[in-house]
Amino acid sequence: MIARWEVLAYSARRPTGRGYLLRVHDDAGRVGLGEARALPGFGSGPAALEASVSNRAAIETLLKQPESGPTTSIEARFAIETAVTDLAAQRRGVTLVEQLGFSLPDGLSNSLLVDDKNDAIRLLGDGHRNFKLKAQGAAPQTMSLLQCLHDLSEGQANIRIDANGSWDRSTALDFVRQAPAGSISFVEQPFPSGDLDSCVWLREQVAVPIALDEGIASGEDVAEAARVGAASLVVIKPMYRGLHGALKLAGKAAGCGLGACVTHAMDGTVGRLAAMHVAAAVDTIFAGCRWPHGLYAPGLTCLADEPELQPDRLLIPRGHGLGCHGLHEDELELVCSSA
């Protein structure tokens, strides 16, 4: 099926850092794409990823036996799984989400990251109402921006707050109680990973949904969070779970009575397109009970044509496989290949 392949790097000079694309070719001229990108402190990390994508023998082995090579970085495995699935979908003449066994929706609900008041004014003016704010510790500017979005939207904004595990109980309780009533759609990872007791405690104090991200690494973690009542939903990053791994985690959440949303790991265009197809499948799993995904934000690495962004909605590009078009070939450099 695969005639040849190559790993290509995109520049570390980009604001979001260095990443890699795997490109696989068949004899008919079809090309499958996958992306691997590592963040310091998350996943396998940049050093492990670089070692994996530079190892020609390891990539050859994974292309032939996808379940082998447990020491290969999870990001590299995601790129390989995506590229192979993309190529298989093109051969069948279907989209990637259809190759995964689900139908292609018209669009996906999406929340946008907001950095400052100017962003808020511009995005509200464009008709967006689903937003995400980063709340590192007790930074007062986060509350100010939350109040701004709430006021300018006349209370119509749905705002998720991502604390990245930086809160203690006092900070969390103060923030939620000071927020305008009804302004927070959910709080993402309020406490350090593994601190389910504090999540249960916060849910008992205030009526705010909690999403777990870094705190969920397996189906067992999902089941435990549901058992103790620590969360309303889980956040799934396909870059760290793989396509099928992400869907398995979403299915576990559904079976445990939790919701799920899909987001990126600062991926470039190719990785985010793959995450969009996963999100489309997740929406089918959770039909009638959906949370906005986090699949696009201004400033992320653009490697090809970006999906169309409408108010609170992303459109998956039409076409077979990922639907990736207009790849920026001149910005890529060869790392290794089968040739």
Side-chain angles (χ1 to χ4, degrees):
M1 177 179 174
I2 297 173
R4 60 188 177 89
W5 59 266
E6 62 261 350
V7 173
L8 305 154
Y10 55 84
S11 176
R13 293 190 298 272
R14 293 176 179 272
T16 51
R18 187 175 180 84
Y20 304 89
L21 296 183
L22 173 69
R23 189 158 56 184
V24 296
H25 306 254
D26 70 6
D27 288 327
R30 289 176 284 251
V31 181
L33 285 171
E35 181 178 352
R37 185 177 184 283
L39 296 170
F42 296 90
S44 303
L49 173 57
E50 185 174 358
S52 291
V53 298
S54 303
N55 188 329
R56 182 176 180 272
I59 293 172
E60 289 278 11
T61 298
L62 280 171
L63 285 170
K64 294 173 183 175
Q65 299 174 300
E67 298 306 317
S68 64
T71 58
T72 305
S73 78
I74 56 175
E75 298 88 354
R77 294 174 73 89
F78 173 66
I80 291 168
E81 183 188 12
T82 302
V84 170
T85 308
D86 182 20
L87 187 59
Q90 291 179 50
R91 289 169 65 90
R92 285 187 58 211
V94 298
T95 61
L96 191 139
V97 67
E98 290 169 322
Q99 180 68 20
L100 293 173
F102 299 85
S103 59
L104 180 70
D106 292 333
L108 299 166
S109 178
N110 183 69
S111 58
L112 288 171
L113 181 65
V114 180
D115 289 325
D116 54 39
K117 186 175 180 179
N118 290 334
D119 268 353
I121 293 171
R122 177 176 57 82
L123 293 171
L124 285 166
D126 289 340
H128 298 283
R129 294 296 182 271
N130 292 337
F131 302 103
K132 175 177 177 176
L133 303 183
K134 290 280 191 178
Q136 192 64 31
Q141 59 267 32
T142 306
M143 180 58 69
S144 175
L145 189 51
L146 173 62
Q147 187 72 58
C148 172
L149 283 167
H150 181 75
D151 292 346
L152 291 177
S153 69
E154 297 182 346
Q156 298 304 304
N158 301 305
I159 307 162
R160 60 194 277 190
I161 306 295
D162 186 0
N164 281 126
S166 66
W167 285 351
D168 56 25
R169 291 190 178 190
S170 176
T171 301
L173 190 59
D174 287 348
F175 189 98
V176 175
R177 283 182 171 171
Q178 291 171 24
S183 60
I184 298 177
S185 55
F186 64 85
V187 174
E188 183 177 341
Q189 201 63 49
F191 304 109
S193 178
D195 187 1
L196 298 183
D197 288 344
S198 290
C199 292
V200 173
W201 171 84
L202 183 60
R203 294 185 80 200
E204 291 172 346
Q205 304 300 312
V206 289
V208 60
I210 290 177
L212 293 181
D213 182 359
E214 293 87 358
I216 298 294
S218 66
E220 290 74 21
D221 292 334
V222 173
E224 180 63 10
R227 185 186 70 81
V228 300
S232 299
L233 69 155
V234 297
V235 177
I236 301 173
K237 291 182 170 68
M239 181 66 73
Y240 301 144
R241 303 284 175 256
L243 301 174
H244 292 88
L247 294 178
K248 184 177 180 181
L249 204 62
K252 183 67 174 180
C256 290
L258 302 182
C261 72
V262 177
T263 187
H264 56 76
M266 302 296 287
D267 312 8
T269 309
V270 175
R272 284 184 280 111
L273 283 173
M276 286 177 66
H277 285 271
V278 171
V282 168
D283 277 357
T284 300
I285 294 172
F286 289 93
C289 183
R290 300 173 182 174
W291 297 87
H293 303 292
L295 296 164
Y296 176 81
L300 293 172
T301 298
C302 177
L303 300 172
D305 296 345
E306 289 288 339
E308 182 182 345
L309 177 65
Q310 297 180 346
D312 299 330
R313 193 165 175 261
L314 272 173
L315 302 186
I316 298 179
R318 298 294 169 174
H320 300 156
L322 277 176
C324 184
H325 307 289
L327 187 67
H328 301 173
E329 300 273 359
D330 59 334
E331 298 179 20
L332 304 172
E333 58 183 75
L334 183 66
V335 174
C336 69
S337 70
S338 57

